[in-house]
Amino acid sequence: GRGGSVIVRLVIEQDGTVSSATVTRASGIDEFDRNIRAATLRAAPFGPLPKALGGRLVWDFSFAAVNPAVRPKNPQNGLSDL
């Protein structure tokens, strides 16, 4: 199974619009990365930012892709804990 995490940088302007959504660290799963970026863009627009944040908010956040059918390996013997 495949898994990984992607980091997306989202730039939100003062009025709540998104001016940029960029994958800054890819997960290694292109489809997952594209879908996460598209989902963040579909979530926009957001409400206006509080004035205390200034003119824009730059937010880096991560999403993890985890395959529940694949269990982590036991560090003592290197085997799956099935």
Side-chain angles (χ1 to χ4, degrees), residues 6-11 18-27 29-44 46 61-63:
V6 60
I7 297 179
V8 175
R9 174 169 288 163
L10 193 63
V11 179
V18 173
S19 60
S20 176
T22 308
V23 172
T24 59
R25 187 181 78 196
S27 68
I29 307 168
D30 292 337
E31 182 181 14
F32 178 67
D33 298 348
R34 285 191 309 272
N35 287 338
I36 292 297
R37 182 179 175 278
T40 60
L41 290 170
R42 282 193 308 271
F46 301 98
F61 56 97
S62 65
F63 287 91

